[in-house]
Amino acid sequence: MPKGRQFPVIGYGAEHLVMGFFMRRNILAYQAPPRNEGYDIICVNPDLRQRNRRIIRVQVKSRAMDDNDRSVQLRKRELVGFDYLVAVFMNIKSSGKKEHRALASLPEFYTVSQKWVRKNFRAYGKVFFPKKGMEKYKGLKGFEKIAQDLRASY
């Protein structure tokens, strides 16, 4: 098995965690078809009476290690396939360095728009999520932006 795909269940787990948080926020979340290029989750406002219901496509990228460089890998051609990117830092294992032998901690979520990703995309295919200045994209605040775009109420 290729080194980068040793634990594909972790990636699927990240997608399901994100879907759960969307549903918790009253956003219908559907998994895209397997091997769909560009996005992993389709989000819709559950209110059938809402006119011009919008669909939002969400790409989920995850990292398992807690001592990563706070980046996710993207191909340039993937930049047009989604409306929002959710980076999930699962924090479930370390690379084995002595200073990083901590127990698993809670995952961190960062939700950013396609425009933000395009602005922060590096030529070698990475998007970095620095610890400073990312508070408005972190956790429930990031999910709230999608809820606002869908006009989803509680």
Side-chain angles (χ1 to χ4, degrees):
M1 183 176 288
K3 188 176 181 185
R5 297 296 285 166
Q6 290 178 349
F7 304 104
V9 72
I10 293 170
Y12 292 125
E15 291 175 17
H16 283 83
L17 278 172
V18 171
M19 287 173 47
F21 274 95
F22 285 152
M23 288 188 249
R24 181 176 179 255
R25 179 48 188 87
N26 195 31
I27 297 170
L28 283 177
Y30 300 98
Q31 192 168 18
R35 299 194 178 272
N36 185 58
E37 190 172 346
Y39 60 93
D40 301 307
I41 299 172
I42 301 163
C43 295
V44 182
N45 186 324
D47 185 1
L48 295 173
R49 296 175 303 258
Q50 185 187 52
R51 291 181 181 216
N52 303 323
R53 287 186 1 169
R54 184 170 177 215
I55 294 173
I56 291 182
R57 302 163 300 157
V58 177
Q59 174 72 281
V60 178
K61 293 288 184 178
S62 64
R63 296 290 300 266
M65 291 191 201
D66 61 355
D67 57 344
N68 62 62
D69 63 357
R70 301 192 56 78
S71 72
V72 294
Q73 197 79 30
L74 273 174
R75 292 184 209 102
K76 191 169 186 169
R77 70 174 189 250
E78 290 178 308
L79 293 176
V80 296
F82 60 88
D83 301 307
Y84 284 91
L85 169 72
V86 178
V88 183
F89 297 103
M90 298 289 279
N91 299 326
I92 57 174
K93 63 180 183 173
S94 70
S95 63
K97 297 176 186 174
K98 288 181 183 177
E99 63 269 17
H100 291 290
R101 291 184 195 262
L103 294 173
S105 60
L106 293 173
E108 297 174 60
F109 304 92
Y110 293 91
T111 306
V112 293
S113 67
Q114 182 193 68
K115 182 179 177 182
W116 188 96
V117 173
R118 285 178 174 276
K119 181 179 174 188
N120 293 282
F121 182 76
R122 303 292 175 250
Y124 46 88
K126 283 193 172 186
V127 178
F128 287 90
F129 293 83
K131 286 195 175 191
K132 292 184 179 178
M134 296 296 293
E135 292 80 22
K136 65 182 176 181
Y137 305 109
K138 188 174 181 181
L140 300 178
K141 291 179 185 176
F143 297 139
E144 189 61 32
K145 178 61 179 146
I146 293 175
Q148 288 172 358
D149 283 0
L150 289 172
R151 293 176 284 166
S153 61
Y154 278 109

